[in-house]
Amino acid sequence: MDMKTLARALQLKELSQRSIELLVLSACQTAEGNDRAPLGLSGVPLQSGARIALGSLWPVGDNAPQLLMTRFYEALQQSGMTKAQALQAAQHALIAGGRYTQPNAWAGFILVGNWL
């Protein structure tokens, strides 16, 4: 998906009538920017009115991000947990699990926007 396609999708009437709290873009390099788009694909939801986008800064595999996202959503279910704390908890869970201890598996994910 490119930035224009995502922007058009976010402008659909069904989506524009609701506020998007969190949009997760867990594919490779969705938060990597350039001179024209400093936040990469993750910046598009913010420009469209989403409060927070979660993206990755570098290429990631399939297994670690899937587990990271599962742990992230589980942590979000806990009362009083901010999105930043949930991401940190998910990252710690991957490290503690022993299989994904290398930072390239979990450290590339960032929250953009109001992440509290």
Side-chain angles (χ1 to χ4, degrees), residues 6-97:
L6 179 59
R8 277 194 304 268
L10 292 171
Q11 297 302 323
L12 293 174
K13 185 178 180 181
E14 297 82 21
L15 290 177
S16 63
Q17 292 176 346
R18 297 184 197 165
S19 176
I20 297 173
E21 177 66 25
L22 171 66
L23 183 64
V24 176
L25 302 165
S26 61
C28 295
Q29 296 170 288
T30 53
E32 180 184 34
N34 57 33
D35 292 341
R36 295 184 65 202
L39 299 175
L41 200 56
S42 296
V44 174
L46 299 179
Q47 293 170 343
S48 298
R51 291 189 44 155
I52 307 153
L54 175 62
S56 64
L57 293 169
W58 54 72
V60 293
D62 291 330
N63 297 331
Q66 181 179 4
L67 184 58
L68 182 80
M69 293 303 132
T70 300
R71 299 291 182 258
F72 173 69
Y73 285 116
E74 288 172 352
L76 277 178
Q77 299 301 310
Q78 296 177 22
S79 178
M81 181 76 69
T82 68
K83 287 154 190 74
Q85 291 169 329
L87 179 58
Q88 184 181 35
Q91 291 168 327
H92 283 287
L94 259 67
I95 295 166

